[in-house]
Amino acid sequence: MSRLGTLGARLYRGEVGYDFVAKRKIWYGISILITITAIVGLAVRGLNMGIEFSGGAAFNTPATSVSADAAKETAESSSGHTAVVQKMGDKTLRIQVSELTPEQSRKTQDALAKKLGVPTQKINTDIVGPSWGDEIANKAWQGLAIFMILVVIYLAIAFEWRMALAALIALIHDLTITVGVYALVGFEVTPGTVIGLLTILGYSLYDTVVVFDGLKESAKDITKQTRFTYSEIANRSLNGTLVRSINTTVVALLPVAGLLFIGGGFLGAGMLNDISLALFVGLAAGAYSSIFIATPLVADLKERDPQMKALTQRVKAKRAAQSAKADSAQDDQETTEDEPQDASPAGVVGQRRQTEGRKGKRR
């Protein structure tokens, strides 16, 4: 068995472990800092919405030697709006300009054809109306809201409302970080981005549900024992699935990293950037939240229950009694070791003399 497998087995048996729950305030602080950074980035820079949401036109050129910067300058000067240019792997260009009227689109198409030295009909133009973009955005928000509601209902039925609330907070945490990264990086938000966001919600819930399932099983009849508090049992469940969570996350991140850095970066596949960035950031954030946010938050909420408070007091009282008993036994041992070496033999001799004296009287 590999070292990682051995470590996983030891973590599962509780032989070793890291106290994630006890240090939850540190993880909360880190998450709040990251979330604030994401929100500030979103407020300052905003999202670069694609034409599918804002409306506009997309121009697809044939293979050309014209640089992306030159094509961008031509599109912006002819349209009067900011253009986004993506260089594709086959030396073609995709130029997107938001909020264009049909007349402005034709003017921009003619300018690009002249710049590239090709006939106008060689520039494929896709025009998206703003009403269609608004409809797509509304459908995306509706799908996200329905997904959240169904997740909360399912977790509340399968586990309990505290776990459902913790999972919901972890999901919002992951989505906020992913959207904030999109704003900071400046990647365009497309339907592919929405697909990526909806996909990471499932990945984010996967590790969380695995830990919650183990915690539910371990916490059964928890009030009938006085060995562990709820937080300690939650930490043991988290450590038991830690290696599994790390393995699944790494295995999922590797192909996504290939899509992002190789497919999107070197091959110039624009749609891959939109999906892979959402998946990469979301998977990493989901693994973090399932370990450092969801389970510690459940322990926090559960420890406020009167039964769990009473259990914690019993566990502390039992440990205090055991500690006092151990200290007393240690003090007795130290006292015995400090006594003179001839004390016991002298007592024995005294007893023997007393016996001999009695025997002498009988005689």
Side-chain angles (χ1 to χ4, degrees):
M1 184 180 294
S2 64
R3 292 184 178 180
L4 188 60
T6 303
L7 176 61
R10 295 181 66 191
L11 285 169
Y12 181 79
R13 293 192 297 266
E15 298 174 1
V16 295
Y18 184 81
D19 203 345
F20 294 99
V21 177
K23 299 180 179 180
R24 53 186 175 269
K25 291 183 178 180
I26 298 176
W27 318 133
Y28 293 165
I30 294 174
S31 296
I32 291 173
L33 180 61
I34 296 174
T35 304
I36 290 175
T37 303
I39 293 175
V40 170
L42 182 61
V44 173
R45 300 197 57 175
L47 290 174
N48 180 20
M49 305 300 292
I51 62 171
E52 293 86 357
F53 298 101
S54 60
F59 305 95
N60 299 295
T61 72
T64 179
S65 59
V66 176
S67 65
D69 293 336
K72 180 179 180 180
E73 183 180 355
T74 301
E76 290 179 347
S77 61
S78 60
S79 66
H81 296 278
T82 302
V84 177
V85 181
Q86 292 179 333
K87 193 171 184 179
M88 312 306 283
D90 53 356
K91 295 183 179 181
T92 61
L93 298 177
R94 178 178 173 82
I95 305 160
Q96 297 184 122
V97 185
S98 300
E99 302 176 356
L100 286 185
T101 63
E103 183 179 352
Q104 290 174 326
S105 299
R106 287 192 294 270
K107 182 180 178 181
T108 305
Q109 183 182 14
D110 294 338
L112 288 172
K114 183 177 179 180
K115 180 66 177 179
L116 272 62
V118 296
T120 303
Q121 59 269 22
K122 290 290 185 179
I123 307 293
N124 295 325
T125 304
D126 298 323
I127 300 176
V128 179
S131 59
W132 189 83
D134 291 339
E135 183 179 355
I136 291 295
N138 291 333
K139 293 294 184 182
W141 283 113
Q142 290 175 8
L144 181 61
I146 293 172
F147 178 86
M148 292 286 195
I149 293 172
L150 292 177
V151 164
V152 171
I153 293 175
Y154 170 76
L155 292 178
I157 295 174
F159 300 102
E160 60 171 303
W161 69 267
R162 296 176 183 85
M163 292 184 177
L165 178 60
L168 178 62
I169 293 174
L171 283 177
I172 295 174
H173 167 272
D174 300 341
L175 285 175
T176 303
I177 292 177
T178 305
V179 174
V181 169
Y182 255 87
L184 293 172
V185 174
F187 274 28
E188 188 178 25
V189 178
T190 65
T193 306
V194 178
I195 294 172
L197 289 175
L198 293 176
T199 304
I200 66 172
L201 297 179
Y203 278 107
S204 177
L205 282 173
Y206 176 76
D207 288 338
T208 302
V209 170
V210 168
V211 177
F212 284 177
D213 186 63
L215 177 56
K216 178 184 177 182
E217 186 67 25
S218 301
K220 187 182 296 183
D221 299 329
I222 185 176
T223 56
K224 296 181 181 180
Q225 55 86 42
T226 55
R227 293 184 59 194
F228 304 106
T229 65
Y230 188 89
S231 293
E232 292 169 345
I233 290 179
N235 193 72
R236 288 169 63 90
S237 299
L238 182 56
N239 278 276
T241 58
L242 181 62
V243 174
R244 177 181 178 179
S245 298
I246 294 174
N247 285 336
T248 54
T249 302
V250 171
V251 169
L253 280 176
L254 287 176
V256 174
L259 287 175
L260 178 61
F261 298 109
I262 298 177
F266 294 107
L267 300 181
M271 183 62 72
L272 292 179
N273 284 335
D274 307 332
I275 299 177
S276 58
L277 180 63
L279 289 176
F280 189 84
V281 177
L283 285 172
Y288 175 86
S289 65
S290 65
I291 297 173
F292 298 100
I293 301 298
T295 306
L297 189 56
V298 168
D300 255 342
L301 295 173
K302 194 71 174 180
E303 289 288 358
R304 299 180 183 182
D305 186 86
Q307 292 184 343
M308 296 303 108
K309 289 182 178 179
L311 173 63
T312 302
Q313 292 177 355
R314 293 198 303 270
V315 171
K316 290 181 178 179
K318 180 180 179 181
R319 291 176 182 176
Q322 291 176 344
S323 179
K325 185 177 180 181
D327 292 341
S328 177
Q330 185 177 1
D331 292 340
D332 292 342
Q333 183 179 0
E334 292 176 354
T335 301
T336 304
E337 292 176 354
D338 292 341
E339 290 180 356
Q341 296 295 329
D342 58 345
S344 178
V348 174
V349 172
Q351 292 176 2
R352 287 181 178 178
R353 288 177 181 175
Q354 186 178 7
T355 305
E356 290 176 356
R358 290 178 180 177
K359 288 181 178 181
K361 290 180 182 180
R362 289 181 182 179
R363 289 180 181 178

